[in-house]
Coordinates of all heavy atoms in Angstrom, one line a residue:
Chain J
M1 N -37.5 -39.0 -147.9 CA -38.9 -38.8 -147.5 C -38.9 -37.7 -146.4 O -38.0 -37.4 -145.7 CB -39.5 -40.1 -147.0 CG -39.8 -41.0 -148.2 SD -41.1 -42.2 -147.8 CE -40.1 -43.5 -147.0
R5 N -44.1 -37.5 -143.1 CA -44.5 -38.8 -143.6 C -44.2 -39.9 -142.6 O -44.9 -40.9 -142.4 CB -43.8 -39.1 -144.9 CG -44.2 -40.3 -145.5 CD -43.8 -40.4 -147.0 NE -44.3 -41.7 -147.5 CZ -44.0 -42.2 -148.7 NH1 -43.2 -41.5 -149.5 NH2 -44.4 -43.3 -149.1
Y6 N -43.1 -39.8 -141.8 CA -42.8 -40.8 -140.8 C -43.6 -40.6 -139.6 O -44.1 -41.5 -139.0 CB -41.3 -40.7 -140.3 CG -40.3 -40.7 -141.4 CD1 -39.3 -39.7 -141.5 CD2 -40.3 -41.7 -142.4 CE1 -38.4 -39.8 -142.6 CE2 -39.4 -41.8 -143.4 CZ -38.4 -40.8 -143.5 OH -37.5 -40.8 -144.5
K9 N -47.2 -41.9 -139.2 CA -47.3 -43.4 -139.1 C -46.6 -44.0 -137.8 O -46.5 -45.2 -137.7 CB -46.7 -44.1 -140.3 CG -47.2 -43.6 -141.6 CD -48.6 -44.2 -141.9 CE -49.0 -43.8 -143.3 NZ -50.5 -44.0 -143.5
N12 N -48.5 -46.6 -135.8 CA -48.6 -47.9 -136.6 C -47.2 -48.6 -136.5 O -47.2 -49.8 -136.3 CB -48.9 -47.6 -138.0 CG -50.1 -46.6 -138.2 OD1 -49.9 -45.5 -138.7 ND2 -51.2 -47.0 -137.7
R13 N -46.1 -47.8 -136.7 CA -44.8 -48.5 -136.7 C -44.4 -48.9 -135.3 O -43.7 -49.9 -135.1 CB -43.8 -47.6 -137.4 CG -44.0 -47.3 -138.8 CD -42.8 -47.3 -139.6 NE -43.2 -47.3 -141.1 CZ -43.5 -46.2 -141.7 NH1 -43.5 -45.0 -141.2 NH2 -43.9 -46.4 -143.0
F29 N -53.3 -54.8 -141.1 CA -52.0 -54.1 -140.8 C -51.2 -54.3 -142.0 O -50.9 -55.4 -142.5 CB -51.3 -54.7 -139.6 CG -50.2 -53.8 -139.3 CD1 -50.4 -52.7 -138.4 CD2 -48.9 -53.9 -139.9 CE1 -49.4 -51.8 -138.1 CE2 -47.9 -52.9 -139.6 CZ -48.2 -51.9 -138.7
P30 N -50.7 -53.2 -142.6 CA -51.0 -51.8 -142.3 C -52.5 -51.5 -142.3 O -53.2 -52.1 -143.1 CB -50.2 -51.0 -143.3 CG -49.8 -52.0 -144.4 CD -49.8 -53.4 -143.8
P31 N -52.9 -50.5 -141.5 CA -54.3 -50.1 -141.5 C -54.9 -49.7 -142.8 O -54.2 -49.1 -143.7 CB -54.4 -49.0 -140.5 CG -53.0 -48.5 -140.4 CD -52.1 -49.6 -140.7
R32 N -56.2 -49.9 -143.0 CA -56.9 -49.4 -144.2 C -58.0 -48.5 -143.7 O -58.6 -48.7 -142.6 CB -57.4 -50.5 -145.0 CG -56.4 -51.4 -145.7 CD -57.0 -52.5 -146.4 NE -56.0 -53.3 -147.1 CZ -55.7 -53.1 -148.4 NH1 -56.4 -52.2 -149.1 NH2 -54.8 -53.9 -149.0
R56 N -44.2 -66.5 -142.9 CA -44.8 -67.2 -144.0 C -43.8 -67.4 -145.1 O -43.8 -68.4 -145.8 CB -46.0 -66.3 -144.5 CG -47.2 -66.4 -143.6 CD -48.0 -67.7 -143.8 NE -48.3 -67.9 -145.2 CZ -49.4 -67.4 -145.8 NH1 -50.3 -66.6 -145.2 NH2 -49.6 -67.6 -147.1
T57 N -43.0 -66.4 -145.4 CA -41.9 -66.5 -146.4 C -40.8 -65.5 -146.1 O -41.1 -64.6 -145.3 CB -42.4 -66.4 -147.8 OG1 -41.3 -66.7 -148.7 CG2 -43.0 -65.0 -148.1
F58 N -39.7 -65.6 -146.6 CA -38.6 -64.7 -146.2 C -37.5 -64.7 -147.3 O -37.5 -65.5 -148.3 CB -37.9 -65.2 -144.9 CG -37.2 -66.6 -145.1 CD1 -35.9 -66.7 -145.4 CD2 -37.9 -67.7 -144.9 CE1 -35.3 -67.9 -145.6 CE2 -37.3 -69.0 -145.1 CZ -36.0 -69.1 -145.4
S59 N -36.6 -63.8 -147.2 CA -35.4 -63.7 -148.0 C -34.3 -63.1 -147.1 O -34.6 -62.4 -146.1 CB -35.6 -62.9 -149.2 OG -34.4 -62.7 -150.0
I60 N -33.0 -63.3 -147.5 CA -31.9 -62.6 -146.9 C -31.4 -61.5 -147.9 O -31.0 -61.9 -149.0 CB -30.8 -63.6 -146.6 CG1 -31.3 -64.8 -145.8 CG2 -29.7 -62.8 -145.8 CD1 -31.9 -64.5 -144.5
I61 N -31.6 -60.3 -147.5 CA -31.2 -59.2 -148.4 C -29.7 -59.0 -148.3 O -29.1 -58.7 -147.2 CB -31.9 -57.9 -148.0 CG1 -33.4 -58.1 -147.9 CG2 -31.5 -56.7 -148.9 CD1 -34.1 -58.4 -149.2
R62 N -29.0 -59.1 -149.4 CA -27.5 -59.0 -149.5 C -27.1 -57.6 -150.1 O -26.0 -57.2 -149.9 CB -26.9 -60.1 -150.4 CG -27.5 -61.5 -150.0 CD -26.6 -62.1 -149.0 NE -27.2 -63.4 -148.6 CZ -26.6 -64.2 -147.7 NH1 -25.5 -63.9 -147.1 NH2 -27.2 -65.3 -147.4
T63 N -28.0 -57.1 -150.9 CA -27.7 -55.8 -151.5 C -28.9 -54.9 -151.3 O -30.1 -55.2 -151.6 CB -27.6 -55.9 -153.1 OG1 -26.5 -56.9 -153.3 CG2 -27.2 -54.6 -153.7
A64 N -28.7 -53.7 -150.6 CA -29.8 -52.8 -150.3 C -29.4 -51.4 -150.7 O -28.2 -51.2 -151.1 CB -30.1 -52.9 -148.8
S65 N -30.3 -50.5 -150.6 CA -30.0 -49.1 -150.9 C -29.2 -48.5 -149.7 O -29.1 -49.1 -148.7 CB -31.3 -48.3 -151.1 OG -32.1 -48.4 -150.0
D66 N -28.6 -47.4 -149.9 CA -27.6 -46.8 -149.0 C -28.1 -46.8 -147.5 O -27.4 -47.1 -146.6 CB -27.2 -45.4 -149.4 CG -26.3 -45.4 -150.6 OD1 -25.7 -46.5 -150.9 OD2 -26.1 -44.4 -151.2
Y68 N -29.9 -48.7 -145.9 CA -30.0 -50.0 -145.3 C -28.8 -50.8 -145.5 O -28.7 -51.9 -144.9 CB -31.2 -50.8 -145.9 CG -32.6 -50.1 -145.6 CD1 -33.0 -49.1 -146.4 CD2 -33.4 -50.5 -144.6 CE1 -34.3 -48.5 -146.2 CE2 -34.6 -49.9 -144.4 CZ -35.0 -48.9 -145.2 OH -36.3 -48.3 -144.9
Y74 N -29.4 -59.0 -144.1 CA -30.5 -59.0 -143.1 C -31.7 -59.8 -143.6 O -31.9 -59.9 -144.8 CB -30.9 -57.6 -142.6 CG -31.4 -56.7 -143.7 CD1 -32.8 -56.7 -144.1 CD2 -30.6 -55.8 -144.3 CE1 -33.2 -55.8 -145.1 CE2 -31.0 -54.9 -145.3 CZ -32.4 -54.9 -145.7 OH -32.8 -54.1 -146.6
I76 N -35.6 -60.4 -144.3 CA -36.8 -59.8 -144.5 C -37.9 -60.9 -144.6 O -37.6 -61.9 -145.2 CB -36.8 -58.8 -145.7 CG1 -38.0 -57.9 -145.8 CG2 -36.7 -59.6 -147.0 CD1 -37.8 -56.6 -145.1
A77 N -39.0 -60.6 -144.1 CA -40.0 -61.7 -144.1 C -41.4 -61.2 -144.2 O -41.7 -60.0 -143.9 CB -39.9 -62.6 -142.8
I78 N -42.3 -62.0 -144.7 CA -43.8 -61.7 -144.5 C -44.2 -62.5 -143.3 O -44.0 -63.7 -143.2 CB -44.5 -62.2 -145.8 CG1 -44.1 -61.3 -147.0 CG2 -46.1 -62.0 -145.5 CD1 -44.9 -61.6 -148.3
C86 N -51.2 -60.2 -142.7 CA -49.7 -60.4 -143.0 C -49.1 -59.0 -143.2 O -49.7 -58.1 -143.7 CB -49.5 -61.2 -144.3 SG -49.8 -62.9 -144.1
M87 N -47.8 -58.9 -142.7 CA -47.1 -57.7 -142.9 C -45.6 -58.0 -143.3 O -45.2 -59.1 -143.0 CB -47.1 -56.8 -141.6 CG -46.3 -57.5 -140.5 SD -46.3 -56.4 -139.0 CE -45.1 -55.2 -139.4
T88 N -44.9 -57.0 -143.9 CA -43.5 -57.2 -144.2 C -42.6 -56.6 -143.2 O -42.9 -55.4 -142.8 CB -43.2 -56.6 -145.6 OG1 -44.1 -57.2 -146.6 CG2 -41.8 -56.8 -146.0
A89 N -41.6 -57.3 -142.7 CA -40.8 -56.7 -141.7 C -39.4 -57.5 -141.6 O -39.3 -58.6 -142.1 CB -41.4 -56.8 -140.3
Q90 N -38.4 -56.8 -141.0 CA -37.2 -57.5 -140.8 C -37.3 -58.4 -139.6 O -38.0 -58.2 -138.7 CB -36.1 -56.5 -140.5 CG -35.6 -55.7 -141.7 CD -34.4 -54.9 -141.4 OE1 -33.5 -55.3 -140.7 NE2 -34.3 -53.7 -142.0
I100 N -39.5 -71.0 -142.7 CA -41.0 -70.8 -142.8 C -41.7 -71.5 -141.6 O -41.3 -72.6 -141.2 CB -41.5 -71.4 -144.1 CG1 -40.9 -70.6 -145.3 CG2 -43.0 -71.5 -144.2 CD1 -41.2 -71.1 -146.7
I111 N -35.3 -48.4 -137.7 CA -35.5 -48.9 -139.1 C -34.4 -48.3 -140.0 O -33.8 -49.0 -140.7 CB -36.9 -48.4 -139.6 CG1 -38.0 -48.9 -138.7 CG2 -37.2 -49.0 -141.0 CD1 -38.2 -50.4 -138.5
F112 N -34.2 -47.0 -140.0 CA -33.1 -46.4 -140.6 C -33.0 -45.0 -140.2 O -33.9 -44.4 -139.6 CB -33.2 -46.5 -142.2 CG -34.2 -45.6 -142.8 CD1 -33.8 -44.4 -143.4 CD2 -35.5 -45.9 -142.9 CE1 -34.7 -43.5 -143.9 CE2 -36.4 -45.1 -143.5 CZ -36.0 -43.9 -144.0
V121 N -35.7 -43.1 -137.9 CA -37.1 -43.7 -138.0 C -37.0 -45.0 -137.2 O -36.2 -45.9 -137.5 CB -37.5 -43.9 -139.4 CG1 -38.9 -44.6 -139.5 CG2 -37.5 -42.6 -140.2
Chain V
S123 N -27.3 -47.7 -155.9 CA -28.2 -47.6 -154.7 C -29.5 -46.8 -155.1 O -30.5 -47.2 -154.6 CB -27.4 -46.8 -153.6 OG -28.3 -46.5 -152.6
T126 N -31.8 -49.1 -157.0 CA -32.5 -50.0 -156.1 C -33.6 -49.3 -155.4 O -34.7 -49.8 -155.2 CB -31.5 -50.5 -155.0 OG1 -30.4 -51.2 -155.7 CG2 -32.1 -51.6 -154.1
D127 N -33.4 -48.1 -154.9 CA -34.3 -47.3 -154.2 C -35.5 -46.9 -155.1 O -36.7 -47.0 -154.6 CB -33.7 -46.1 -153.6 CG -34.4 -45.4 -152.5 OD1 -34.8 -46.1 -151.6 OD2 -34.7 -44.2 -152.6
D134 N -45.0 -51.4 -152.4 CA -45.5 -50.5 -151.4 C -44.3 -49.8 -150.7 O -43.7 -50.4 -149.8 CB -46.4 -51.2 -150.4 CG -47.1 -50.2 -149.5 OD1 -46.7 -49.1 -149.4 OD2 -48.2 -50.6 -149.0
R135 N -44.0 -48.6 -151.0 CA -42.9 -47.9 -150.5 C -43.0 -47.8 -149.0 O -42.0 -47.9 -148.2 CB -43.0 -46.4 -151.1 CG -41.9 -45.5 -150.7 CD -40.7 -45.8 -151.6 NE -39.6 -45.8 -150.8 CZ -38.3 -45.9 -151.2 NH1 -38.1 -46.1 -152.5 NH2 -37.3 -45.9 -150.4
E136 N -44.2 -47.5 -148.5 CA -44.5 -47.2 -147.1 C -44.3 -48.5 -146.2 O -43.8 -48.5 -145.1 CB -45.9 -46.7 -146.9 CG -46.2 -46.1 -145.6 CD -45.9 -44.6 -145.5 OE1 -46.1 -43.9 -146.5 OE2 -45.4 -44.2 -144.4
W137 N -44.9 -49.6 -146.7 CA -45.0 -50.8 -145.8 C -44.2 -52.0 -146.3 O -44.1 -53.0 -145.6 CB -46.4 -51.2 -145.6 CG -47.2 -50.1 -144.9 CD1 -48.1 -49.3 -145.5 CD2 -47.0 -49.7 -143.6 NE1 -48.5 -48.4 -144.5 CE2 -47.9 -48.6 -143.4 CE3 -46.2 -50.2 -142.5 CZ2 -48.0 -48.0 -142.1 CZ3 -46.4 -49.5 -141.3 CH2 -47.2 -48.4 -141.1
E138 N -43.5 -51.9 -147.5 CA -42.6 -52.9 -147.9 C -41.2 -52.3 -148.0 O -40.3 -52.8 -147.3 CB -43.0 -53.5 -149.2 CG -44.3 -54.2 -149.2 CD -44.7 -54.9 -150.5 OE1 -44.7 -54.2 -151.5 OE2 -45.1 -56.1 -150.5
G139 N -41.1 -51.2 -148.8 CA -39.8 -50.6 -149.0 C -39.2 -50.1 -147.7 O -38.0 -50.3 -147.4
L140 N -39.9 -49.4 -146.9 CA -39.4 -48.8 -145.7 C -39.0 -49.9 -144.7 O -38.1 -49.7 -143.9 CB -40.4 -47.8 -145.1 CG -39.8 -46.8 -144.1 CD1 -40.4 -45.4 -144.4 CD2 -40.0 -47.2 -142.7
A141 N -39.7 -51.0 -144.7 CA -39.3 -52.1 -143.8 C -38.0 -52.7 -144.2 O -37.4 -53.5 -143.5 CB -40.4 -53.2 -143.8
G142 N -37.4 -52.4 -145.4 CA -36.2 -52.9 -145.8 C -36.3 -53.9 -146.9 O -35.3 -54.6 -147.3
A143 N -37.5 -54.1 -147.5 CA -37.7 -55.1 -148.6 C -37.2 -54.4 -149.9 O -37.8 -53.4 -150.3 CB -39.1 -55.5 -148.7
T144 N -36.2 -54.9 -150.5 CA -35.8 -54.4 -151.8 C -36.7 -55.1 -152.9 O -37.4 -56.1 -152.5 CB -34.4 -54.8 -152.2 OG1 -34.2 -56.2 -152.1 CG2 -33.4 -54.2 -151.2
P146 N -35.8 -57.0 -155.6 CA -35.4 -58.4 -155.7 C -35.8 -59.2 -154.4 O -36.2 -60.4 -154.5 CB -33.9 -58.3 -155.8 CG -33.6 -57.0 -156.3 CD -34.7 -56.1 -155.8
G147 N -35.8 -58.5 -153.3 CA -36.1 -59.2 -152.0 C -37.6 -59.7 -152.0 O -37.9 -60.8 -151.5
L148 N -38.5 -58.9 -152.6 CA -39.9 -59.3 -152.7 C -40.1 -60.5 -153.6 O -40.8 -61.5 -153.2 CB -40.7 -58.1 -153.2 CG -40.8 -57.0 -152.2 CD1 -41.4 -55.7 -152.9 CD2 -41.6 -57.3 -151.0
A150 N -37.7 -62.6 -154.2 CA -37.1 -63.7 -153.5 C -38.0 -64.3 -152.5 O -38.0 -65.6 -152.4 CB -35.8 -63.1 -152.8
M151 N -38.9 -63.5 -151.9 CA -39.8 -64.1 -151.0 C -40.9 -65.0 -151.7 O -41.3 -66.0 -151.2 CB -40.5 -63.0 -150.1 CG -39.5 -62.4 -149.1 SD -40.3 -61.6 -147.7 CE -40.9 -60.1 -148.5
I152 N -41.2 -64.6 -153.0 CA -42.1 -65.4 -153.8 C -41.4 -66.7 -154.1 O -41.9 -67.8 -153.9 CB -42.4 -64.7 -155.1 CG1 -43.3 -63.4 -154.9 CG2 -43.1 -65.7 -156.1 CD1 -43.6 -62.6 -156.1
T154 N -39.0 -68.2 -152.3 CA -38.9 -69.0 -151.1 C -40.2 -69.8 -150.9 O -40.2 -71.0 -150.6 CB -38.6 -68.1 -149.9 OG1 -37.3 -67.4 -150.1 CG2 -38.4 -68.9 -148.6
D155 N -41.3 -69.1 -151.0 CA -42.6 -69.7 -150.8 C -42.8 -70.8 -151.9 O -43.2 -71.9 -151.6 CB -43.7 -68.6 -151.0 CG -45.1 -69.1 -150.8 OD1 -45.4 -69.6 -149.7 OD2 -45.8 -69.1 -151.8
N158 N -40.6 -73.9 -151.4 CA -41.0 -74.6 -150.3 C -42.3 -75.5 -150.6 O -42.4 -76.6 -150.1 CB -41.3 -73.7 -149.1 CG -41.8 -74.4 -147.9 OD1 -41.1 -75.2 -147.4 ND2 -43.0 -74.0 -147.4
L200 N -25.1 -63.8 -154.5 CA -26.4 -63.8 -153.9 C -26.9 -62.3 -153.8 O -26.1 -61.5 -153.3 CB -26.4 -64.4 -152.5 CG -26.7 -65.9 -152.5 CD1 -26.3 -66.4 -151.1 CD2 -28.1 -66.2 -152.8
V201 N -28.1 -62.0 -154.3 CA -28.6 -60.7 -154.2 C -29.7 -60.7 -153.1 O -29.6 -59.8 -152.2 CB -29.3 -60.3 -155.5 CG1 -30.0 -59.0 -155.4 CG2 -28.2 -60.2 -156.6
A202 N -30.6 -61.6 -153.1 CA -31.6 -61.8 -152.1 C -32.0 -63.3 -152.1 O -32.6 -63.7 -153.1 CB -32.8 -60.9 -152.3
D203 N -31.5 -64.0 -151.1 CA -31.7 -65.5 -151.1 C -33.1 -65.8 -151.4 O -34.0 -65.3 -150.8 CB -31.3 -66.1 -149.8 CG -29.9 -65.7 -149.3 OD1 -29.4 -64.7 -149.8 OD2 -29.4 -66.3 -148.4
P204 N -33.4 -66.8 -152.3 CA -32.4 -67.6 -153.0 C -32.0 -67.0 -154.4 O -31.3 -67.7 -155.1 CB -33.3 -68.9 -153.3 CG -34.6 -68.4 -153.5 CD -34.8 -67.2 -152.6
T247 N -53.5 -56.2 -155.1 CA -52.9 -55.5 -154.0 C -51.5 -55.0 -154.3 O -50.7 -55.7 -154.9 CB -52.9 -56.3 -152.7 OG1 -52.0 -57.4 -152.9 CG2 -54.3 -56.8 -152.3
L250 N -47.1 -57.4 -151.6 CA -47.1 -58.9 -151.7 C -47.8 -59.5 -150.5 O -48.5 -60.5 -150.6 CB -45.6 -59.3 -151.8 CG -45.4 -60.8 -152.0 CD1 -46.0 -61.4 -153.3 CD2 -43.9 -61.1 -151.9
H251 N -47.5 -58.9 -149.3 CA -48.0 -59.5 -148.1 C -49.6 -59.6 -148.0 O -50.1 -60.3 -147.2 CB -47.5 -58.9 -146.8 CG -47.7 -57.4 -146.7 ND1 -46.7 -56.5 -146.5 CD2 -48.9 -56.7 -146.7 CE1 -47.2 -55.3 -146.4 NE2 -48.5 -55.4 -146.5
D252 N -50.3 -58.8 -148.9 CA -51.7 -58.8 -148.8 C -52.3 -59.8 -149.8 O -53.5 -59.9 -150.0 CB -52.3 -57.4 -149.2 CG -52.3 -56.5 -147.9 OD1 -52.3 -57.0 -146.8 OD2 -52.2 -55.3 -148.1
R254 N -53.5 -63.3 -151.6 CA -54.1 -64.6 -151.3 C -53.1 -65.7 -151.3 O -53.1 -66.6 -150.4 CB -55.2 -64.8 -152.3 CG -56.0 -66.1 -152.2 CD -56.9 -66.3 -153.4 NE -56.2 -66.4 -154.6 CZ -55.6 -67.5 -155.1 NH1 -55.7 -68.6 -154.4 NH2 -54.9 -67.5 -156.2
F256 N -48.9 -66.2 -152.3 CA -47.6 -65.4 -152.7 C -47.1 -66.0 -154.0 O -46.4 -65.2 -154.7 CB -46.6 -65.5 -151.6 CG -47.0 -65.0 -150.2 CD1 -46.7 -65.7 -149.1 CD2 -47.9 -63.9 -150.1 CE1 -47.1 -65.2 -147.8 CE2 -48.3 -63.4 -148.9 CZ -47.9 -64.1 -147.7

Side-chain angles (χ1 to χ4, degrees):
Chain J
M1 286 201 276
R5 187 166 178 187
Y6 306 129
K9 303 286 184 193
N12 312 115
R13 293 218 169 83
F29 191 90
R32 287 177 181 267
R56 284 281 307 275
T57 186
F58 66 91
S59 175
I60 310 299
I61 306 295
R62 311 272 175 177
T63 303
S65 59
D66 285 346
Y68 297 82
Y74 60 85
I76 190 90
I78 294 180
C86 288
M87 67 178 286
T88 301
Q90 283 187 42
I100 292 174
I111 304 296
F112 75 96
V121 177
Chain V
S123 169
T126 303
D127 197 51
D134 189 339
R135 184 81 225 187
E136 191 90 36
W137 297 108
E138 295 182 311
L140 200 137
T144 58
L148 293 168
M151 290 201 283
I152 295 177
T154 301
D155 178 66
N158 180 57
L200 270 168
V201 173
D203 306 19
T247 63
L250 180 64
H251 58 235
D252 280 333
R254 177 187 63 81
F256 304 141

